[in-house]
Amino acid sequence: MTRLSVPEDDLFGLTNLPYGVYSVPGRSPRVGTRFGDFVVDLCLLLDDPTFAAPSLNPFMAQGRGRWDDVRSRLRSALSGDVPDEAVHAVSDVTLHLPFEVADYVDFYASEHHASNLGRLFRPDSPEPLMPNWKHLPVGYHGRSASVVVSGTDIVRPSGQRLPAGATAPVFGPSTRLDIEAEVGFIVGRGNPMGSPIPASSADDHLFGVVLFNDWSARDIQAWEYVPLGPNLGKSFASTVSPWVVPLAALDAARVPVPPQAPSVLPYLEMSPPWGLDISLEVEWNGEVVSRPPYAAMYWSPAQMLAHLTVNGAPTRTGDLFASGTVSGPSRHERGAFIELTWGGSEPVTVAGRSRTFLEDGDEVVLRATAPGVGGTRIGFGEARGRILPAVH
Amino acid sequence: MTRLSVPEDDLFGLTNLPYGVYSVPGRSPRVGTRFGDFVVDLCLLLDDPTFAAPSLNPFMAQGRGRWDDVRSRLRSALSGDVPDEAVHAVSDVTLHLPFEVADYVDFYASEHHASNLGRLFRPDSPEPLMPNWKHLPVGYHGRSASVVVSGTDIVRPSGQRLPAGATAPVFGPSTRLDIEAEVGFIVGRGNPMGSPIPASSADDHLFGVVLFNDWSARDIQAWEYVPLGPNLGKSFASTVSPWVVPLAALDAARVPVPPQAPSVLPYLEMSPPWGLDISLEVEWNGEVVSRPPYAAMYWSPAQMLAHLTVNGAPTRTGDLFASGTVSGPSRHERGAFIELTWGGSEPVTVAGRSRTFLEDGDEVVLRATAPGVGGTRIGFGEARGRILPAVH
């Protein structure tokens, strides 16, 4: 038995305790928590076979009461002596996609991002926001199969794009490959078909939070997206961070969302809608180029979930919904390169070079922290990906 | 042992043999085939535990060689004596969703439908088709969790809509609830991330075909769909027929798609692209109101699959992609009521009443047949749903 020594102010201290799926050579993936620079096996620590699974889904399906109970037992167990065989150095393990993704929906919840994209994609339109934007959290379904864990290489997608001035598209590798720095929310327990989730009940359904990079091929997207929305411009890959931060760890990070005017319809009302004070950073080839503030997001996670289900649509354990690009009001708070470089017309300097969109070999890392209880800070780990050349 | 007597010209004769998942009281769902008016248990008939599963996914994952082999053994076995305990009357069984839906994508592959919808949704636009429409099969991801089997009641969705002349939306039950008569294609074996499926290889991946009703709330859809596409207007429910007709049963139904001009990019080229001569019918409260011809569809299933994966997106066993509304050139070949009644302005008479969109209590049934080998016809069964009142 060992007493694990982790400083109180560690980003992965006792106030965080995120869940992930790890493996060590020769052993099957199973659930662990990160505590300081350790990964602790939950099946061994808590003597609970739920955590012998290679995904969080069985645990998530057990619901809020179980989540709270396990979190409480975990804090106690990690405050005492821990079986040696349950402990690994984080550098010794492989981290896997922590959950099986059921349906995946991407929202568009930042007013700054939606306004910027409106100006860039529809320059002739007098209003950057569509008339619906402040009445409902706009979102669309994306591809669950291409959600990958941090560290997975991203192959540059090929597809159709319409060159400037052309009337017919050409095919080839995307020339405007971009990121979207987002926050993802995981549904632990869903709702049956026909029974919407009220915004006030979101806490009973939301299990946890991850970082999310919605890689985006802007040239493919611009050509395909009218009238049915993004498809191939997004579906090739999305990267999630390996540690799912429990919603319960973010109690101290709750902040009201910015004022919502005009007032929302009753099914979206909350008093007040809570956002999360998560501070993101976007690192491009080792240099931090942006610090998007999640607290600036217009629509709250509970409002997104209420909207998603208000028509009776069911959600399931493992449903993932992402916020859309997190962008703040100032330039170096923008979470996508198309915004940061204003469609490529205002390059940024990265590692001494003038840059717009992603080149082969580039690496992007999203990181974030948020306030934890007792003045601590909660770490989210990272969502990392490197661009490989197109295959054709 | 029994010799099952099924006429050669039965819609579920030896040239069809679709796969489904059935149960009888007190027994777990498992895989069967429909032969005439019988459901035959495949686990017992072929002595093969693959078919003891409550879904087709394990069998589909085994790939084309296995599909061909099982189909061949099935034809032999049903031509001889069959164990009594393997046979049920179709009226004695409950039919279940035949497969677990992985990702679901809905295309928009009928030129007639896309042109009609363009005129109805964008009346001020000079061209009904968007510039991209003839260059790529436009599609979007939908909600997998709300795909239900024929016979499941459909609760009228509530949501936001913008009343005519209003500047702010109201909330309530959809007032323009509609159907979309479609054909769905099921991926039996997918492709790994980064390895697109060439159009010429689609036969190795496509397992079978179902009927598909993409229930659509036109008022919700019209307000929400710009700029990221349909979401709540579609995500409440989609109905599939319970019998998956193997692609192999449709060899005699293959027809060239209508001429494609301008010519398509190389990754979409086939010589020629094959469509399917499936004749659909839409029954509304017992009256056939439309006969949409699948042979009129512009984009072929193989082209849709090639497009879906050309950016490296992975597909999985159980992926479902639907064709979009099947509409032919003439009025009573239109597969959606918004087209059939021209946005509600040209009602049709159903059971003696003038009708536009769906009322509570209405029932819609999609049916279809296609040519089988040897002059037979292949039946698809039905996709049936009745509208229940909104819950709020």
Side-chain angles (χ1 to χ4, degrees):
Chain A
M1 302 289 273
T2 312
R3 181 72 57 104
L4 298 177
S5 168
V6 173
E8 273 189 27
D9 63 353
D10 195 284
L11 289 175
F12 295 96
L14 277 182
T15 61
N16 189 348
L17 303 181
Y19 298 99
V21 171
Y22 82 97
S23 66
V24 290
R27 298 250 299 268
S28 302
R30 43 203 271 168
V31 176
T33 189
R34 180 160 172 184
F35 185 43
D37 289 332
F38 305 105
V39 172
V40 183
D41 187 284
L42 291 197
C43 181
L44 293 173
L45 182 71
L46 303 178
D47 190 20
D48 187 332
T50 308
F51 301 109
S55 106
L56 290 172
N57 292 50
F59 173 50
M60 295 197 297
Q62 293 171 343
R64 160 73 47 208
R66 245 302 259 182
W67 310 339
D68 290 344
D69 178 55
V70 164
R71 184 164 167 80
S72 165
R73 290 167 56 211
L74 193 48
R75 289 170 58 106
S76 300
L78 289 172
S79 302
D81 289 339
V82 173
D84 294 324
E85 64 273 25
V87 179
H88 306 276
V90 70
S91 54
D92 289 345
V93 308
T94 300
L95 296 169
H96 303 270
L97 189 66
F99 61 106
E100 294 165 55
V101 185
D103 278 302
Y104 152 53
V105 169
D106 197 28
F107 282 96
Y108 195 50
S110 160
E111 182 175 0
H112 307 290
H113 171 70
S115 299
N116 288 336
L117 269 278
R119 290 188 189 98
L120 287 163
F121 272 69
R122 296 176 296 278
D124 301 331
S125 181
E127 292 291 337
L129 289 181
M130 290 293 174
N132 57 18
W133 199 90
K134 290 205 163 182
H135 294 283
L136 58 88
V138 170
Y140 67 98
H141 286 76
R143 193 154 198 80
S144 301
S146 53
V147 175
V148 297
V149 73
S150 176
T152 306
D153 290 331
I154 306 299
V155 176
R156 178 180 300 272
S158 292
Q160 296 194 21
R161 66 175 185 275
L162 191 69
T167 56
V170 298
F171 181 86
S174 171
T175 59
R176 287 163 72 89
L177 187 57
D178 197 357
I179 66 154
E180 296 200 337
E182 308 193 7
V183 170
F185 299 89
I186 302 164
V187 174
R189 207 156 64 165
N191 62 304
M193 199 162 173
S195 297
I197 297 175
S200 57
S201 300
D203 285 24
D204 294 333
H205 296 273
L206 293 178
F207 176 79
V209 180
V210 289
L211 302 179
F212 190 82
N213 186 345
D214 175 28
W215 305 93
S216 298
R218 301 299 181 189
D219 43 357
I220 297 173
Q221 181 186 355
W223 169 237
E224 77 177 353
Y225 90 104
V226 178
L228 300 185
N231 185 4
L232 279 286
K234 304 276 196 173
S235 66
F236 56 97
S238 313
T239 299
V240 297
S241 53
W243 295 110
V244 180
V245 174
L247 194 62
L250 296 170
D251 280 348
R254 292 196 183 196
V255 289
V257 297
Q260 296 183 329
S263 60
V264 298
L265 284 161
Y267 79 90
L268 294 170
E269 279 174 5
M270 302 184 72
S271 50
W274 52 269
L276 292 168
D277 182 19
I278 303 173
S279 302
L280 285 85
E281 64 177 43
V282 179
E283 185 188 282
W284 188 354
N285 293 344
E287 192 164 313
V288 174
V289 294
S290 179
R291 297 185 187 279
Y294 194 80
M297 301 297 276
Y298 191 88
W299 293 105
S300 84
Q303 288 175 319
M304 292 189 256
L305 185 59
H307 183 67
L308 197 59
T309 61
V310 73
N311 65 347
T315 60
R316 295 173 291 186
T317 296
D319 265 33
L320 166 67
F321 64 91
S323 61
T325 304
V326 183
S327 286
S330 67
R331 182 177 180 191
H332 285 279
E333 294 179 331
R334 295 174 186 163
F337 296 158
I338 192 173
E339 292 173 80
L340 186 66
T341 68
W342 208 250
S345 67
E346 299 174 11
V348 289
T349 301
V350 180
R353 291 182 50 220
S354 172
R355 299 298 309 278
T356 56
F357 292 98
L358 288 164
E359 298 178 359
D360 294 344
D362 278 359
E363 187 172 56
V364 174
V365 185
L366 310 182
R367 294 191 183 85
T369 64
V373 295
T376 61
R377 283 199 78 78
I378 301 291
F380 284 75
E382 59 182 39
R384 175 188 296 265
R386 180 184 298 276
I387 306 301
L388 298 187
V391 290
H392 68 147
Chain B
M1 302 290 274
T2 312
R3 180 72 57 105
L4 300 176
S5 168
V6 172
E8 272 190 28
D9 63 352
D10 194 284
L11 290 175
F12 295 96
L14 276 182
T15 61
N16 189 348
L17 303 181
Y19 298 98
V21 171
Y22 81 98
S23 66
V24 290
R27 297 250 300 268
S28 301
R30 42 203 271 169
V31 176
T33 188
R34 180 160 172 184
F35 185 44
D37 290 330
F38 305 104
V39 172
V40 183
D41 188 284
L42 291 199
C43 180
L44 294 174
L45 182 72
L46 303 178
D47 191 20
D48 187 331
T50 308
F51 302 109
S55 107
L56 290 172
N57 291 49
F59 173 49
M60 293 197 299
Q62 293 171 344
R64 160 73 46 209
R66 235 320 247 178
W67 309 339
D68 290 345
D69 177 55
V70 165
R71 184 165 167 79
S72 164
R73 289 168 56 211
L74 194 47
R75 289 171 59 105
S76 299
L78 290 171
S79 303
D81 290 338
V82 173
D84 294 324
E85 64 273 24
V87 179
H88 307 276
V90 70
S91 54
D92 290 345
V93 308
T94 299
L95 295 169
H96 302 269
L97 189 66
F99 61 106
E100 294 165 54
V101 186
D103 278 302
Y104 152 52
V105 169
D106 197 28
F107 282 97
Y108 195 50
S110 159
E111 182 175 0
H112 306 290
H113 171 70
S115 299
N116 287 336
L117 270 278
R119 291 188 190 98
L120 288 163
F121 272 69
R122 296 176 296 278
D124 301 331
S125 181
E127 291 292 336
L129 289 182
M130 290 293 174
N132 57 17
W133 197 90
K134 291 207 164 182
H135 293 283
L136 58 87
V138 170
Y140 66 99
H141 286 76
R143 194 155 197 79
S144 301
S146 53
V147 175
V148 297
V149 73
S150 177
T152 307
D153 290 331
I154 306 300
V155 176
R156 179 181 299 273
S158 292
Q160 296 194 20
R161 64 174 186 277
L162 190 71
T167 56
V170 298
F171 181 85
S174 171
T175 60
R176 287 163 72 89
L177 187 57
D178 197 358
I179 66 155
E180 296 200 336
E182 308 193 7
V183 170
F185 298 90
I186 302 165
V187 174
R189 207 155 66 162
N191 60 304
M193 198 162 173
S195 295
I197 298 174
S200 57
S201 300
D203 285 25
D204 294 334
H205 296 271
L206 293 178
F207 175 78
V209 181
V210 290
L211 302 179
F212 190 82
N213 187 344
D214 175 28
W215 306 94
S216 298
R218 300 299 181 189
D219 42 358
I220 298 173
Q221 181 186 354
W223 169 237
E224 76 177 353
Y225 90 104
V226 177
L228 300 185
N231 185 3
L232 278 287
K234 304 276 196 173
S235 65
F236 56 96
S238 313
T239 299
V240 296
S241 53
W243 295 110
V244 179
V245 174
L247 194 63
L250 296 170
D251 281 347
R254 293 197 182 196
V255 289
V257 298
Q260 296 182 330
S263 59
V264 297
L265 283 162
Y267 79 92
L268 294 169
E269 279 174 3
M270 302 184 72
S271 49
W274 52 269
L276 293 168
D277 182 19
I278 302 172
S279 302
L280 287 85
E281 64 177 41
V282 179
E283 186 188 282
W284 189 354
N285 293 343
E287 194 164 311
V288 174
V289 295
S290 179
R291 298 185 186 278
Y294 195 80
M297 301 297 276
Y298 191 87
W299 292 106
S300 84
Q303 288 175 319
M304 292 189 256
L305 186 59
H307 183 67
L308 197 58
T309 61
V310 74
N311 65 346
T315 60
R316 294 173 291 186
T317 296
D319 264 32
L320 166 66
F321 64 92
S323 60
T325 305
V326 183
S327 286
S330 65
R331 182 177 180 191
H332 285 279
E333 294 178 331
R334 296 175 185 161
F337 296 160
I338 192 172
E339 292 173 80
L340 186 65
T341 68
W342 207 249
S345 67
E346 300 174 9
V348 290
T349 301
V350 180
R353 291 183 50 220
S354 173
R355 299 298 308 277
T356 55
F357 291 99
L358 288 164
E359 298 178 359
D360 294 343
D362 278 359
E363 187 171 57
V364 174
V365 185
L366 310 183
R367 293 191 184 85
T369 63
V373 296
T376 61
R377 283 199 78 77
I378 302 292
F380 285 75
E382 59 182 40
R384 174 187 296 264
R386 181 183 298 275
I387 306 301
L388 298 186
V391 290
H392 68 150

